[in-house]
Amino acid sequence: MSAELDLKTLEIAAQWYVDLADDSEAIREAHRQWLLDDPRHAQAWARVERLQAAFGRLEPRAARPALQCAQANRRAVLKVLALLVGSSGLISLGAHTQAWRKMMADYSTGTGERLPVTLADGSQLLLNTGTSLDISFDENLRHVLLREGEVFIQTAPDPLARPFIVSTAFGDLHALGTQFLVRIHPTHGRVAVLEHAVEWRSPRSANAPVRVNTGQQLDFTAHGADVPEPLAKGADAWRNNLLVVSDWRLADVIAELSRYRAGHLGCDGQVAGLRISGSFQLGDIDVVLDNLSAMLPIRLRRFTRYWTQVEPA
């Protein structure tokens, strides 16, 4: 069994455990579908089943509320899982798993959460959904390690003239007195500059540093960077709890909305290419989905609140 299970999969597995207590056929069928959807789902569920066996040695009134409380906050879910698994000796999440690293990050957000942070030098951060990062300041450097997710950064002037650097798995971003966004995708990073400039560098790339100026964005990997492009419309709209899209494929809209909603949110290939423009509130993704179904020839198939599929009408 793989030891590397992502945080969201573990969280959803715990939520399924709680939901299955209702013993509804619809929920059981949705759960069976979830297990078949991805091998990692079965791996995560195997862990939950071992936890369930451990619950037999606990007061039921202690075990059940623990997961119910954790359901509201995925960081709490991991803490409960780490406690129960560690104390039972059944499985160790391990200090090197992605989930454990996120739990131990200096700052992190769960699904749909945003978190403002003021750093010691007065710089301002705003963490978007599903983000974790670490802060390290010393006499020579102001350093942010972005592990996953997306963050808005407004740097403050520093009396010590220390560089402000954001590190990612795909290279480092040197702030040049600026406001900017950094987002981690599975295969690359992206920086979008709202004010002044940022410089991308990577020790694994033979390319020269790339400067990104106001109104530009840059996609980059550890081995190279694209040419800076004009900033995408609405790139920072999430700061105001909005998703702004202009002629996007429906599949891309659904993928973006899924970042802000716990559980499975999928898009059938038959409607994936439908085009859409508009501005949508991120506070209630189910309302957005209902609005989309009124605008487009699609329907929503909902098994539970954690499993929704967008299909042809």
Side-chain angles (χ1 to χ4, degrees), residues 9-24 27-28 31 34-35 44-71 77 80-81 84 304-306:
T9 302
L10 288 169
E11 175 199 11
I12 296 169
Q15 291 168 340
W16 276 121
Y17 180 81
V18 174
D19 282 356
L20 285 167
D22 294 338
D23 200 28
S24 156
I27 291 177
R28 290 197 300 272
H31 177 250
W34 178 76
L35 290 175
W45 188 247
R47 291 192 174 191
V48 173
E49 287 181 322
R50 296 189 187 185
L51 287 175
Q52 188 175 14
F55 289 161
R57 296 191 294 274
L58 299 172
E59 269 298 314
R61 288 173 297 182
R64 176 66 64 182
L67 280 179
Q68 287 176 334
C69 293
Q71 184 178 347
V77 167
V80 170
L81 290 177
L84 293 176
T304 73
R305 54 182 166 166
Y306 300 118

Side-chain angles (χ1 to χ4, degrees), residues 113-143:
E113 293 180 341
R114 277 174 290 276
L115 176 67
V117 176
T118 300
L119 302 183
D121 66 338
S123 295
Q124 302 290 320
L125 308 184
L126 180 61
L127 282 66
N128 199 6
T129 178
T131 298
S132 62
L133 56 80
D134 295 323
I135 307 296
S136 176
F137 279 25
D138 59 29
E139 64 273 15
N140 299 313
L141 180 66
R142 296 176 292 169
H143 184 247

Side-chain angles (χ1 to χ4, degrees), residues 18 69 91 100 108 118 175 234 286:
V18 174
C69 293
I91 309 166
W100 186 264
S108 62
T118 300
D286 286 320

Side-chain angles (χ1 to χ4, degrees), residues 140-161:
N140 299 313
L141 180 66
R142 296 176 292 169
H143 184 247
V144 175
L145 172 60
L146 180 59
R147 297 185 179 277
E148 61 179 327
E150 183 175 21
V151 62
F152 164 77
I153 300 175
Q154 178 175 333
T155 59
D158 185 40
L160 301 178

